[in-house]
Amino acid sequence: MITQPIIPCIWFEGDVEAIAEWYVSKFPDSFIDYTTKLTDTPSGETTIATVSLAGQFFQLLGAGPLKERNPSISYMVTFPTLEEVETLWNELVEGAEVLMPLDTYDFSERYGWLKDKYGVSWQIMHSGGMDIQTVTPCFLFVGDVFGRAEAAMNDWISIFPDSYVLEDHMIRYEATDGPELEGKLNYARFVLSGREFVAMDSAENHQFAFNEMQSLIAFCESQAEIDEYWAKLSAVPEAEQCGWLQDRYGVFWQIVPWEMEEMLTTGTKEQLARVTQAFLPMKKIDVAALRNVY
């Protein structure tokens, strides 16, 4: 079962079970943890596959077409050997869009950025001896939220326990990068609830933004914790539904009680149906109401 309090969720249109198997076959030390099927949702049957890819849990949500996945959220995959970098790149590059070719750069002996055949973006790089997490979600702040990476990072750190900036992994743009960039975050690695994340600002004219196709799930121990996270994160009332919210930076979050996750993975078909019909009309999840119908 999931052992990480905050994990990424990626929304897909296709057969999410086959997609999960594809990713697990490409990444080292990876497995499918469990699969949940929900019926009578707005998308019809919704399948959720929980996977671990090289030590990072993800939930892959199969719920029909909505929007396009884009590089506003990507995943940095860092390996200690050049061979591992080359191997994963070659596994993912078929059918992919290469955003930065696999090459030697000032910041890494071997690095490449691609958008795989399913539209998910991966930055694959050599660690250069750094002791960092193998797979790390990365937020790229562009367009309307350019320049807000540091504010978002500090806000999130203030909300979640066991959270802090990794000071040795913070790089700011300098005056030579131009007045628009100077002082903003070129790269910052930080910890939320014990797991590493990355935030970066970019002044490039990227034609994308954060959207529902990639979100973060924050698992909660109690209703009080749900209430606290919801009050501190939710900034767009019209985006609130089924435990989902959008924060002031445009990032989507799912605030989910561990108890609900257990219901959806261990309940009978009838229990799942009752819980699903109960949480669909909710904005913020009401644990007691779910417990009652379960």
Side-chain angles (χ1 to χ4, degrees), residues 5-247:
I6 301 176
I7 69 169
C9 175
I10 309 176
W11 183 314
F12 294 93
E13 306 81 18
D15 180 352
V16 82
E17 291 178 280
I19 293 169
E21 289 174 0
W22 186 81
Y23 280 117
V24 166
S25 75
K26 303 301 182 186
F27 282 78
D29 304 318
S30 301
F31 58 90
I32 298 173
D33 197 10
Y34 53 89
T35 300
T36 304
K37 290 183 184 292
L38 307 179
T39 57
D40 296 325
T41 74
S43 302
E45 182 178 84
T46 296
T47 302
I48 305 167
T50 302
V51 303
S52 177
L53 303 180
Q56 171 66 58
F57 276 99
F58 290 80
Q59 283 199 340
L60 310 183
L61 174 65
L66 183 64
K67 295 179 181 176
E68 184 178 344
R69 284 169 295 286
N70 66 63
S72 58
I73 299 180
S74 61
Y75 305 94
M76 283 190 171
V77 188
T78 312
F79 291 119
T81 69
L82 297 175
E83 181 183 5
E84 290 170 296
V85 173
E86 298 277 353
T87 297
L88 183 61
W89 180 269
N90 291 333
E91 290 284 0
L92 297 180
V93 75
E94 185 177 352
E97 176 187 351
V98 175
L99 305 178
M100 292 178 69
L102 187 63
D103 206 340
T104 299
Y105 295 87
D106 291 343
F107 53 85
S108 178
E109 185 179 356
R110 204 70 175 151
Y111 169 92
W113 191 340
L114 59 77
K115 188 175 177 182
D116 72 24
K117 68 179 186 178
Y118 292 114
V120 180
S121 297
W122 304 92
Q123 300 184 58
I124 305 169
M125 64 187 293
H126 184 251
S127 68
M130 293 184 294
D131 182 19
I132 56 178
Q133 196 168 282
T134 302
V135 181
T136 306
C138 175
F139 300 88
L140 186 62
F141 288 76
V142 301
D144 292 343
V145 292
F146 164 67
R148 303 188 74 191
E150 187 166 13
M153 176 180 73
N154 289 333
D155 265 3
W156 298 337
I157 286 171
S158 74
I159 292 169
F160 295 100
D162 190 19
S163 302
Y164 49 90
V165 177
L166 293 169
E167 298 289 352
D168 292 341
H169 296 276
M170 180 182 282
I171 302 169
R172 295 186 185 277
Y173 290 105
E174 299 178 356
T176 53
D177 296 311
E180 188 177 23
L181 284 168
E182 184 180 2
K184 295 180 172 64
L185 291 186
N186 182 323
Y187 173 92
R189 187 170 283 262
F190 60 101
V191 172
L192 292 181
S193 294
R195 296 292 297 179
E196 294 176 20
F197 294 81
V198 166
M200 304 188 300
D201 280 310
S202 174
E204 297 291 329
N205 186 28
H206 295 296
Q207 300 300 308
F208 54 73
F210 300 124
N211 64 30
E212 301 95 321
M213 302 306 286
Q214 296 186 93
S215 57
L216 288 180
I217 303 173
F219 290 105
C220 301
E221 297 287 353
S222 65
Q223 187 67 51
E225 197 169 47
I226 294 170
D227 296 345
E228 179 185 357
Y229 290 167
W230 198 271
K232 291 179 177 178
L233 284 170
S234 185
V236 184
E238 56 270 27
E240 297 178 351
Q241 58 177 334
C242 306
W244 291 59
L245 62 81
Q246 188 177 19
D247 71 16

